Amino acid sequence: MTDAQEQELADWFDGLEPHEAPPAYTSIKGSVSVLHHLHYTPELRDQTPTGTCWAWASTAMMSMYFDKQFGGHPMLQDGLSVQFLASNAWMVGSNLNSGGHVGKTKAFYDMIGYAIPYTNTGAAWDTEFAVGEVRPSAIASGTPWSASGDRSFPISRIKNSQVRTWRVLQKDAIKNLKSVLDAGHPVGLLFFLPTTADWDRFDAFWEKEPADTIISLDYAKGHTWDKGGCGHWTVLVGYNDEDADPAKHYWTILNTHGTVDNRRPDVTFRLAMNIDYSAQFDGNPDPIPFIYSWVIMDTIFAPRHSPIPDKGLDSISLTVNNSLPAAVTSVLVSGASFSDQPSAISAGRLTLNFLEIPCNSETGTWTTTRSAFRFVSKSGYQPAVIVSINRLTKKWSALVRGPGLDRKVSSSDGLVAKFEYMDLDAPGEPFVLLSQRGVVYDQVKTWASALVKGR
């Protein structure tokens, strides 16, 4: 991860609400597992040499929430599609090798509004293209709750929160974690190991130790970060503290490194329960100095047979210049919803994929009515843009025209439309995000009035 990505991760953690066990909750000793909510083929649970552990962990958690919500009917064999998220990770500023975090998963599904099963056309993990090229156009987004064939499952809400384990008593950290599992839900675990030697030790444990061996990662406490330091996302799926010896109490952690020639038949390992939950290391460029971080991904799917929620975009139109078959000359996006209402706009910034278009007094004119804000580019300004923000329906749309837009806006990977604004009442403040919505290629292909062949 780059320094900017590491800072983004730290900022994201800072913004999460803390989760603590409810006052009436009483922790009891026993054995609990929620892994039965993930119907998976262990041999397939292998991220291969990519930085997609965050996508695997978050998708597994969402799959378990789906199974619990619908009682296993339908049963998702191998869960929701990891490839769907991985192939479109560029939409949230990630890719197959740069890493990410489960907050990016939430951001993606907030834009798209639905998840698809592993069994959809092209939605299985693409081992052939996992490291280099990916082909999102081959992934069928599906029809909401289709009785057969490719399907999609609309999402009502995803909420991330952080289980409070830092700077609390060990018994309280354990209690907070157990309360989530006892309610039938998984927990994401991000752990950092700061040195190459620390990772060598973990890898040796994973590859050579019996599956019932218990490990504590406290061995990395106090070590100084080196070029081999990095983090890894996994999923807490159970616990066992039945033994009279506290040294034999453990958490069950679901990993993404395959079965290791059946040494890890269910792709899990045992993490000691009685660890230092506030264990830190030194010299990390990431502002998060803790070895262990625990995150909930509370996911609620829409009721059966629901349409896709009012997220994403209502429609897209890409128009091709007939005299130049390879040139997109106009892009129309509409129906991008938002919640927080701007009071007054002095300047804006429209982004289509990676094409940024300023909407300010130098490039055009803003007008305000009772029901809408509207921006129109000055004559001759390229690309020309019209932005309409409806304050009553809380939706916005944009029409962009100009030669050679295909050099910036490619339809092959889908489309993300983002609008940011500067409030007249807060001059000099940073741009505020009105909304960022997206559609994957499969939807672009369906809605577009024309597509550039092969793009």
Side-chain angles (χ1 to χ4, degrees):
M1 298 176 68
T2 65
D3 290 347
Q5 288 172 322
E6 290 172 341
Q7 184 61 56
E8 177 196 343
L9 175 63
D11 293 341
W12 174 72
F13 263 110
D14 286 343
L16 293 180
E17 292 183 9
H19 166 83
E20 295 181 288
Y25 172 80
T26 301
S27 178
I28 59 174
K29 293 185 179 298
S31 177
V32 168
S33 175
V34 298
L35 188 55
H36 62 282
H37 285 302
L38 183 64
H39 308 280
Y40 68 109
T41 305
E43 293 80 8
L44 299 178
R45 192 166 179 80
D46 189 344
Q47 68 186 78
T48 64
T50 65
T52 57
C53 57
W54 61 280
W56 285 86
S58 54
T59 302
M61 288 189 280
M62 291 176 63
S63 300
M64 286 186 260
Y65 271 93
F66 182 95
D67 191 75
K68 190 172 190 296
Q69 181 175 340
F70 296 109
H73 303 284
M75 188 188 80
L76 299 182
Q77 182 58 44
D78 292 311
L80 298 169
S81 172
V82 178
Q83 189 68 49
F84 184 55
L85 172 58
S87 289
N88 293 292
W90 67 271
M91 290 185 172
V92 289
S94 186
N95 59 53
L96 288 173
N97 296 313
S98 69
H101 55 80
V102 300
K104 289 184 179 291
T105 303
K106 169 179 162 54
F108 172 73
Y109 286 111
D110 281 349
M111 285 196 297
I112 301 301
Y114 64 92
I116 65 173
Y118 183 98
T119 51
N120 272 19
T121 302
W125 181 243
D126 192 343
T127 55
E128 183 178 356
F129 295 99
V131 177
E133 179 187 4
V134 293
R135 297 179 178 178
S137 59
I139 301 175
S141 55
T143 303
W145 285 93
S146 172
S148 60
D150 298 324
R151 296 177 292 173
S152 64
F153 301 106
I155 298 170
S156 294
R157 189 205 72 183
I158 297 176
K159 181 181 178 181
N160 293 137
S161 55
Q162 182 182 3
V163 182
R164 189 183 293 279
T165 57
W166 297 341
R167 301 188 178 98
V168 298
L169 296 176
Q170 184 187 75
K171 65 180 183 63
D172 291 330
I174 294 172
K175 181 179 179 180
N176 292 340
L177 288 167
K178 289 177 71 173
S179 70
V180 185
L181 292 164
D182 287 347
H185 301 302
V187 180
L189 166 61
L190 168 63
F191 65 87
F192 283 102
L193 295 177
T195 72
T196 301
D198 292 333
W199 276 109
D200 288 344
R201 181 170 173 176
F202 177 81
D203 291 341
F205 157 78
W206 173 260
E207 294 171 3
K208 298 176 182 179
E209 291 294 329
D212 59 359
T213 302
I214 299 172
I215 189 174
S216 168
L217 303 180
D218 287 3
Y219 65 77
K221 183 166 59 173
H223 292 184
T224 300
W225 189 272
D226 67 21
K227 63 181 181 180
C230 67
H232 182 50
W233 282 96
T234 56
V235 185
L236 168 62
V237 294
Y239 66 84
N240 188 312
D241 58 359
E242 294 175 325
D243 199 283
D245 182 359
K248 296 181 180 179
H249 297 175
Y250 63 87
W251 303 110
T252 303
I253 308 296
L254 178 66
N255 201 5
T256 51
H257 292 161
T259 59
V260 197
D261 296 328
N262 212 38
R263 284 181 177 271
R264 302 280 175 182
D266 59 0
V267 201
T268 67
F269 67 93
R270 296 180 178 183
L271 176 68
M273 183 177 291
N274 293 297
I275 54 178
D276 181 356
Y277 290 88
S278 297
Q280 299 185 38
F281 44 86
D282 298 324
N284 186 6
D286 187 329
I288 299 176
F290 298 99
I291 291 176
Y292 311 98
S293 302
W294 311 80
V295 178
I296 298 171
M297 193 154 189
D298 184 8
T299 306
I300 299 176
F301 291 84
R304 295 177 189 272
H305 310 300
S306 296
I308 291 180
D310 187 17
K311 298 179 180 180
L313 303 170
D314 288 345
S315 63
I316 290 178
S317 177
L318 305 179
T319 304
V320 174
N321 184 333
N322 291 330
S323 63
L324 297 171
V328 175
T329 56
S330 71
V331 179
L332 169 66
V333 297
S334 65
S337 59
F338 59 90
S339 54
D340 295 334
Q341 186 83 252
S343 57
I345 297 178
S346 62
R349 182 167 58 200
L350 172 69
T351 305
L352 299 177
N353 290 1
F354 303 109
L355 173 64
E356 289 191 3
I357 305 170
C359 303
N360 52 42
S361 58
E362 295 180 0
T363 63
T365 303
W366 279 101
T367 56
T368 304
T369 66
R370 183 182 67 85
S371 62
F373 297 107
R374 183 177 173 85
F375 177 84
V376 179
S377 290
K378 292 178 179 178
S379 176
Y381 180 79
Q382 295 291 344
V385 60
I386 299 174
V387 177
S388 299
I389 303 172
N390 192 308
R391 303 164 75 177
L392 300 181
T393 64
K394 292 190 175 180
K395 290 187 176 183
W396 63 273
S397 62
L399 172 63
V400 183
R401 289 194 179 98
L405 289 180
D406 64 303
R407 299 192 188 112
K408 297 289 186 178
V409 181
S410 170
S411 63
S412 64
D413 295 329
L415 186 69
V416 174
K418 177 171 69 172
F419 185 79
E420 302 162 287
Y421 70 93
M422 191 174 291
D423 199 312
L424 279 174
D425 297 332
E429 292 296 317
F431 278 96
V432 177
L433 177 64
L434 181 73
S435 79
Q436 177 171 287
R437 304 297 179 191
V439 290
V440 298
Y441 174 82
D442 198 43
Q443 294 170 301
V444 175
K445 181 175 63 176
T446 301
W447 294 341
S449 61
L451 288 174
V452 179
K453 184 178 180 180
R455 292 187 59 83

